[in-house]
Amino acid sequence: MEDQLEDLVPPEEYVVLWSFPGRCSEEQLSISKGDRLIVHGKITSEWWWAELRGVFGYVPASYLRQGTTEEEEEEDAWQDDEYYFTYGALNLHLEMLSDKSRTETYRRVIVNNSTSLHRKVVMDLGCGTGIMSLFCAQLAQPAVVYAVEASSMVEHTKKLVKQNECEEVITVLQGRAEEIQLPEQVDVLVSEWMGNCLVFEFMVESVLLARDRWLREGGTMWPSSAALTLVPCQAHRYYAEKMAFWEKPYGLDFTPLQPLALQEFFSKPKFSHLMEPGDRLASPADVICLDMHTLQVADLEVMQGEFQFQVEKSGVFHGFTAWFSVYFKSLEEGGATVELNTGPDSEPTHWKQTLFMLDEPITVHAASRISGTITLRRNPVWRRHLTVTLHWDISCLAQEAATCQAGTKSFPMWR
Ligand code: GJV
């Protein structure tokens, strides 16, 4: 303690960049990403003396960054730098472009509406490599397409527009949709903003803000509406891989690790799940529907839906699978609506489906009902994240009343 005093600095706030499981025995603090702590002493270049919620201990200096003002904090909550940085590389764009189902659907929307798009003003929000704008310019004759992109990919997008001789029609605008200026309002706002469970990443907020600012009265949103679909399901393979595994690996009893497995594998949803047709226990149902013309940013804070599934065959209720569909209405009165469905009965997309595992499997019988609610709650601090809460009530046939169960489970994605 004597020599620590010499290294005392005026208390300063720092933010934890990565979680660190400190060891109590060595007077280390256990810190989690996003924690704000007060540094009291820079003891060595590696170890600082800090205070977190009234507890003092050593923390690794390289896990910290200087605290920020509230304004910067708000920015940080969006993690925009990180977000746009990831879209500066080809990786994600390749994944999106390789997704034929996704990309061809957007192309079909443009082809189906090519006559009506004539002389229209279009905004492509989050254009990425510019694919939708290029489809638009080549397959229809819009007056202009404003292709808006905030990541550094935009440099390349400009080249691609030139390379494909579309620079007469496409104006590439570098910046965030919330901040860019357009010379005019637009007739059509097209965007591919959907994330896991429809809203993850909350790019949809940018789309709504741009709509309110730049879509002319009576203009069209593509997608025009969206739905989140849910179904109670079995997941024997996943359950076996992550949970049943510990029952007897190599003839040994590893079941004391199961609580850890529960925490590690089932407390968050499993992205990239491909539900097999035989896994559904009931007919899927839409639980949340969004109208992109009337949806408000404030509506995104809490979105709730109800369900009542009739179990169609006996089986093991391991959890719920969710996916989404979006719909593109025609610019023509009475024209056909185009649908992009990311469910298990459609051509697989890069979103695949999202699986929410219950803590314990429940045997269910045909004709029982699984009713309940799903709530998507946007994280008040980490604005691109949300928590999904599922509540279920199983009502069964009278003679099995004893097995009726209800439960609630919340799944952070990712905070
Ligand atoms: N302004 C401009 N570009 C954006 C914005 C914004 N507010 N938000 C996202 N992007 N379906 N979950 C860009 C982002 O940099 C990326 O290139 C693309 O839109 C994301 C599209 C797919 N993401 C999704």
Side-chain angles (χ1 to χ4, degrees), residues 83-84 87 93 96 102 125-128 148-151 175-178 192-195 200-201 203 206 351 384:
Y83 181 72
Y84 292 121
Y87 282 111
H93 296 283
M96 294 187 286
R102 163 200 180 267
L125 195 164
C127 69
V148 182
E149 175 56 49
S151 78
R176 301 200 305 181
E178 292 83 339
E192 193 277 86
W193 50 264
M194 301 80 71
F200 184 63
E201 292 179 29
M203 180 177 165
S206 304
W351 289 283
R384 293 197 186 275

Side-chain angles (χ1 to χ4, degrees), residues 134-207:
L134 290 162
F135 285 160
C136 219
Q138 293 204 329
L139 304 168
Q141 277 126 37
V144 51
V145 181
Y146 296 107
V148 182
E149 175 56 49
S151 78
S152 61
M153 187 52 60
V154 75
E155 294 299 331
H156 305 287
T157 311
K158 289 176 189 161
K159 284 184 226 154
L160 299 179
V161 166
K162 226 178 185 157
Q163 189 78 11
N164 291 280
E165 295 165 22
C166 289
E167 69 267 44
E168 301 273 274
V169 178
I170 302 176
T171 302
V172 179
L173 297 167
Q174 179 162 12
R176 301 200 305 181
E178 292 83 339
E179 289 158 6
I180 46 108
Q181 289 295 331
L182 299 186
E184 60 191 322
Q185 294 221 298
V186 306
D187 299 299
V188 177
L189 197 170
V190 62
S191 181
E192 193 277 86
W193 50 264
M194 301 80 71
N196 279 287
C197 263
L198 187 58
V199 293
F200 184 63
E201 292 179 29
F202 284 93
M203 180 177 165
V204 62
E205 177 173 317
S206 304
V207 174

Side-chain angles (χ1 to χ4, degrees), residues 18 58 121 164 172 175 198 204 215 227 246 258 284 327 333 368 401:
W18 300 285
Y58 289 103
V121 178
N164 291 280
V172 179
L198 187 58
V204 62
L215 188 68
W246 308 104
Q258 281 183 327
Y327 303 87
E333 199 75 37
S368 335

Side-chain angles (χ1 to χ4, degrees), residues 341-371:
N341 185 319
T342 65
D345 295 330
S346 301
E347 200 187 321
T349 66
H350 75 288
W351 289 283
K352 303 193 178 116
Q353 288 101 43
T354 308
L355 173 64
F356 298 89
M357 292 291 281
L358 309 185
D359 286 354
E360 277 174 10
I362 303 171
T363 301
V364 291
H365 300 283
S368 335
R369 266 207 306 271
I370 301 176
S371 53

Side-chain angles (χ1 to χ4, degrees), residues 290-336:
L290 308 179
D291 179 334
M292 294 304 293
H293 289 91
T294 56
L295 182 68
Q296 299 296 311
V297 172
D299 301 335
L300 301 173
E301 293 303 320
V302 181
M303 289 179 279
Q304 192 160 54
E306 291 179 3
F307 50 79
Q308 192 169 79
F309 296 107
Q310 187 86 39
V311 176
E312 285 164 7
K313 60 169 190 187
S314 297
V316 181
F317 176 28
H318 280 115
F320 292 93
T321 297
W323 63 87
F324 66 83
S325 299
V326 292
Y327 303 87
F328 304 80
K329 71 170 191 191
S330 172
L331 293 176
E332 272 162 57
E333 199 75 37

